[in-house]
């Protein structure tokens, strides 16, 4: 899974870090809690350099952050 390291970075550092496929650190993410009781939610992570993105369908979220996904990202 191409984005695995970035998901780990988000969990540890609250930042996505370098996308290994293109090498750019111009990455971003959004995490939205759907169930307050369990902190489960969904999100997305993307690279602003090569416009690749990945949908996170279900994830436990400690620090929610809501950002608009750019329209040119390809999932
Ligand atoms: Zn990229």
């Amino acid at each position: 899974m191409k984005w695995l390291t970035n998901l780990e970075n988000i969990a540890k550092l609250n930042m996505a870090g370098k996308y290994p496929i293109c090498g750019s650190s111009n990455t971003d993410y959004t995490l939205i809690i759907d169930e307050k009781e369990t902190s489960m939610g969904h999100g997305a992570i993307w690279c602003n350099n090569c416009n690749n993105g990945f949908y996170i369908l279900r994830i436990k979220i400690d620090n929610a952050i809501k950002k608009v996904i750019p329209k040119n990202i390809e999932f």
Side-chain angles (χ1 to χ4, degrees):
M1 209 282 276
K2 295 174 192 171
W3 290 98
L4 186 59
T5 304
N6 303 94
L7 286 170
E8 289 171 355
N9 289 341
I10 290 170
K12 286 184 205 156
L13 310 168
N14 294 323
M15 55 189 290
K18 188 164 83 174
Y19 180 42
I21 304 302
C22 78
S24 173
S25 297
N26 188 9
T27 54
D28 220 339
Y29 68 98
T30 183
L31 290 174
I32 296 149
I33 293 176
D34 299 312
E35 297 173 7
K36 276 187 184 165
E37 300 78 14
T38 58
S39 298
M40 294 303 292
H42 70 281
I45 179 171
W46 65 90
C47 175
N48 293 304
N49 181 57
C50 63
N51 299 327
N52 275 293
F54 176 74
Y55 283 123
I56 305 160
L57 299 182
R58 188 162 168 82
I59 187 172
K60 186 167 179 4
I61 297 172
D62 295 321
N63 297 298
I65 179 164
K66 190 167 187 178
K67 287 196 185 176
V68 177
I69 302 169
K71 288 190 171 65
N72 57 346
I73 301 299
E74 290 182 28
F75 288 94

